[in-house]
Amino acid sequence: MQQFADKYHIEKQFIKLEALLSDEHVDAVYIATPHNTHFEIAKQALLHDKHVLIEKAIVVNRDELNELNNIVLVY
């Protein structure tokens, strides 16, 4: 990971999702993980008040989508 960061002049690297989501300089996250992980990552990001862009399929079922929408509406 350090070699990649050095090659592309990336100042910060995060090992843990919580560290990334807790960083006040991170405004948005792009989720390109396997589909079955989208919901949990998006939920955590939204609860940390981050903007979220997710590759399709956004989630794997309607209940997950409804829960994410409810989080957006509340916050």
Side-chain angles (χ1 to χ4, degrees), residues 31 33-41 57-61 64:
I31 301 171
T33 56
H35 298 142
N36 64 328
T37 65
H38 288 184
F39 170 73
E40 193 55 46
I41 296 169
I58 187 169
V59 290
V60 295
N61 62 54
E64 289 179 352

Side-chain angles (χ1 to χ4, degrees), residues 17 21 27-29 31 38-54 58-59 64-75:
L17 179 62
L21 297 177
D27 296 321
V29 295
I31 301 171
H38 288 184
F39 170 73
E40 193 55 46
I41 296 169
K43 180 178 175 180
Q44 289 179 50
L46 291 170
L47 291 172
H48 279 84
D49 201 28
K50 305 297 182 191
H51 299 281
V52 177
L53 179 64
I54 308 172
I58 187 169
V59 290
E64 289 179 352
L65 183 59
N66 288 339
E67 187 170 342
L68 293 181
N69 281 329
N70 288 334
I71 292 169
V72 171
L73 294 173
V74 169
Y75 288 87

Side-chain angles (χ1 to χ4, degrees), residues 1-6 13-15:
M1 185 162 77
Q2 188 61 50
Q3 287 177 325
F4 182 88
D6 291 344
Q13 305 110 56
F14 300 94
I15 303 296

